[in-house]
Amino acid sequence: MTTASVTTSPDSPAPGPQMILVAGPYRSGTGDDPAALAANVRAMNRAALALFRAGHFGVTGEALALPLLDAAGSERPGDALFDEIFHPIAERLLSRCDAVLRIAGASDGADRMVEQARAEGKHVYASLDDVPAVR
């Protein structure tokens, strides 16, 4: 799935603030290089900031998972602790969100977040421009 194939829900979003999970690549294409991982987190955080400035509450699974991975003693992306914590945190967080914003970049994990959002009847946005500002 590419970002271009992501569509919004046919129902119109609630007019008030939404809690929106920002889903994008974390490990994909990085070779687990720390600088590349950090750049991916910054991209998601920039999107979350834009959502905040539009009146919403943008969140990332990384903001919750990375500190827990550190506390648990994870030594590298993809180790057993990473597998136990990283994606399950995002899946649980998404269940509490109103929508997903899928930012650019190949990512099986982000694509799974889109699939989960659709299965739960949540809005899926393909671009910040698609997210309505709070009135």
Side-chain angles (χ1 to χ4, degrees):
M1 174 185 293
T2 64
T3 308
S5 68
V6 177
T7 59
T8 58
S9 169
D11 300 322
S12 61
Q18 298 177 70
M19 187 160 82
I20 302 172
L21 177 72
V22 178
Y26 175 64
R27 293 179 68 196
S28 298
T30 67
D32 293 336
D33 173 61
L37 296 169
N40 284 343
V41 171
R42 280 192 304 276
M44 287 182 271
N45 287 342
R46 283 192 300 271
L49 176 60
L51 290 168
F52 172 79
R53 288 182 170 157
H56 299 289
F57 181 46
V59 296
T60 68
E62 287 75 6
L64 298 175
L66 294 175
L68 288 182
L69 287 166
D70 181 59
S74 175
E75 296 179 7
R76 60 178 172 71
D79 67 12
L81 291 168
F82 183 94
D83 291 342
E84 173 193 353
I85 294 169
F86 191 80
H87 286 294
I89 284 284
E91 292 164 0
R92 292 178 192 179
L93 179 59
L94 175 54
S95 290
R96 302 292 184 130
C97 291
D98 302 302
V100 169
L101 169 62
R102 175 61 164 94
I103 64 171
S107 171
D108 289 340
D111 291 343
R112 285 196 312 268
M113 295 298 100
V114 167
E115 290 171 15
Q116 179 182 336
R118 287 186 176 139
E120 293 179 9
K122 298 175 187 294
H123 299 282
V124 175
Y125 301 107
S127 161
L128 282 166
D129 294 335
D130 296 337
V131 180
V134 177
R135 296 179 198 141

